[in-house]
Amino acid sequence: MRCVLLDQLFEPVVLGGQTLPNRFVLPPLTRSRAQADGVPTPLMAEYYGQRAGAGLIISEGTVVSPQGSAYAQVPGLYTEAQVEAWRPIVSAAGSKGAVVYAQLWHVGRQAHSCVQPDGCPPWGPSPIAISGWEYRSPDGPVPFEVPRELSHEGIAEIVAQFAAAARNAVAAGFDGVELHAANGYLFDQFFNSSSNTRTDQYGGSIENRLRFLYEVIEAVSESVPANRIGVRISPSSDWMDVSDPDKRSLYSALVRGINERGLAYLHLVEPGIAGAVDAPTSDDVLQSAELSQLFDGPVIVTGGHTPQTAASAVGSGTADLVGFGRLFIANPDLPRRIRNGADLTGLREEGLYAGGPAGYTDYPELQSAN
Ligand SMILES: Cc1cc2nc3c(=O)[nH]c(=O)nc-3n(C[C@H](O)[C@H](O)[C@H](O)COP(=O)(O)O)c2cc1C
């Protein structure tokens, strides 16, 4: 029998003026099934179509330029061929009423010269290499490199790349875009003082460190209305060496700033997540409930949720929607399984980041028609 508490996950919710059938989110999940030139493949349409029972589907991280990519086979939204190839995928994802957003991504200093088009080190706010982690090169783990410091022209170019990718997302049929400002990638590198030691208008004060994000939002909103732009942040994570002595002030200012801009949603990665895996939390961690109350629009929380914790996040008002990453990979019909009280399949490591259908489109759906 279905637990009454879980009913809340099946209530419709309005986001960016669109009504979503339920509160389940397929969060962005890099699966590396695109071609080497960033063109998505038909297998991806099958994968997203299998998960079309979510209320909101956010694409895997999709890069705005070759310079913004850290790994082969990550899809892009910067060529006409990529736009064309995304169309059937977006259509499959939305085939059961889900709203579909593209996650726009620039990895900044998390890239490596071996994947940069000019063979030089990647770009970042300041010439500070990631310490404590290693880059997964095709030949095995290697140290991250000292990035090239972005000039004002370089920053403007990336702002324009986000704007172009957003236009392309609309052309491909996406309902909106999510800016990937979490997990130590380029936006996060600007936010945090450990990776941003600039002395110009993009560094120093919190307002200065948030400027790059605000410039991208402004440029993107020329083609995508502000209420169709979401922002994803990971305020409790130091993953990939982004730290700051005052994360509370930093991320509170950020949430207030995006609230003023009337965005579609705030997407919070929960404490206890480091990128794609679980991690220990510290005592002074920034709880999602603290930040969500600073945002008037819909809030998504993702990270470590079970159906029960998700329903309680929605019931307590901390969140309006909940992302299920690893559970959705292993259970393509996750909402239906939860509605039916069915067992959930466990995640296999096989095919997590590359390969063909194995570990990607071969997870079973419920057989019974209940
Ligand atoms: C295979 C895999 C790929 C991921 N790729 C992305 C990504 O492209 N963009 C992103 O913002 N987060 C990415 N994440 C993080 C997830 O969106 C999510 O925050 C994380 O899995 C925690 O949620 P969960 O406990 O429900 O799995 C990835 C996680 C996994 C497991």
Side-chain angles (χ1 to χ4, degrees):
M1 207 214 295
R2 187 163 142 211
C3 172
V4 173
L5 185 69
L6 300 183
D7 280 356
Q8 303 171 87
L9 297 175
F10 295 91
E11 296 286 326
V13 61
V14 175
L15 182 137
Q18 295 177 290
T19 303
L20 282 56
N22 60 53
R23 312 297 180 103
F24 289 85
V25 179
L26 176 69
L29 295 162
T30 292
R31 304 305 309 278
S32 303
R33 260 69 176 194
Q35 296 177 179
D37 58 0
V39 174
T41 54
L43 187 61
M44 291 166 62
E46 187 181 340
Y47 167 82
Y48 282 99
Q50 289 173 340
R51 287 155 185 80
L56 174 66
I57 292 182
I58 308 170
S59 80
E60 60 206 277
T62 299
V63 294
V64 300
S65 67
Q67 292 82 2
S69 184
Y71 297 105
Q73 292 185 292
V74 160
L77 264 171
Y78 55 86
T79 69
E80 190 48 44
Q82 292 165 352
V83 175
E84 287 300 320
W86 268 115
R87 282 201 186 104
I89 299 169
V90 178
S91 165
S95 59
K96 293 186 183 157
V99 162
V100 189
Y101 277 47
Q103 189 188 49
L104 301 186
W105 192 21
H106 193 302
V107 305
R109 67 176 184 165
Q110 284 195 43
H112 193 271
S113 55
C114 69
V115 286
Q116 285 290 300
D118 61 3
C120 294
W123 296 96
S126 301
I128 303 169
I130 296 170
S131 144
W133 280 266
E134 287 176 316
Y135 175 78
R136 285 181 287 125
S137 85
D139 303 325
V142 294
F144 279 103
E145 298 163 320
V146 175
R148 291 177 275 178
E149 181 173 311
L150 281 162
S151 65
H152 288 177
E153 293 71 29
I155 292 174
E157 199 178 315
I158 295 176
V159 171
Q161 288 168 351
F162 271 95
R167 276 197 302 280
N168 288 339
V170 173
F174 284 102
D175 296 291
V177 297
E178 174 178 285
L179 302 179
H180 191 351
N183 298 348
Y185 294 110
L186 185 59
F187 287 110
D188 221 6
Q189 292 159 29
F190 270 94
F191 301 156
N192 283 274
S193 54
S194 68
S195 44
N196 181 353
T197 53
R198 299 177 73 101
T199 53
D200 62 1
Q201 66 267 40
Y202 295 97
S205 69
I206 287 176
E207 215 43 39
N208 278 356
R209 287 183 267 140
L210 298 178
R211 189 180 308 280
F212 171 59
L213 173 69
Y214 295 156
E215 288 184 356
V216 170
I217 292 172
E218 198 182 330
V220 166
S221 50
E222 282 169 22
S223 56
V224 180
N227 74 344
R228 295 289 181 90
I229 304 170
V231 170
R232 182 174 220 216
I233 55 173
S234 50
S236 304
S237 175
D238 287 351
W239 191 67
M240 285 292 165
D241 197 21
V242 284
S243 59
D244 194 89
D246 192 2
K247 290 230 184 208
R248 177 163 280 106
S249 299
L250 170 62
Y251 287 100
S252 301
L254 188 159
V255 173
R256 287 197 180 90
I258 63 169
N259 190 47
E260 282 166 16
R261 287 163 171 83
L263 298 194
Y265 62 79
L266 167 67
H267 189 172
L268 296 168
V269 178
E270 295 273 28
I273 299 292
V277 297
D278 299 321
T281 52
S282 62
D283 291 343
D284 62 342
V285 60
L286 258 171
Q287 296 296 344
S288 297
E290 185 178 339
L291 290 171
S292 77
Q293 66 185 8
L294 304 176
F295 193 74
D296 297 325
V299 173
I300 306 168
V301 291
T302 298
H305 279 287
T306 63
Q308 287 71 24
T309 62
S312 121
V314 172
S316 67
T318 294
D320 301 279
L321 300 109
V322 181
F324 295 90
R326 289 162 289 182
L327 279 182
F328 239 130
I329 291 176
N331 298 273
D333 51 353
L334 184 67
R336 182 159 163 254
R337 278 173 187 260
I338 292 173
R339 190 191 278 281
N340 287 282
D343 288 342
L344 299 181
T345 305
L347 183 76
R348 314 192 305 264
E349 287 298 315
E350 176 195 20
L352 205 50
Y353 288 106
Y360 187 54
T361 49
D362 65 350
Y363 283 102
E365 295 191 6
L366 270 185
Q367 287 308 310
S368 61
N370 53 356

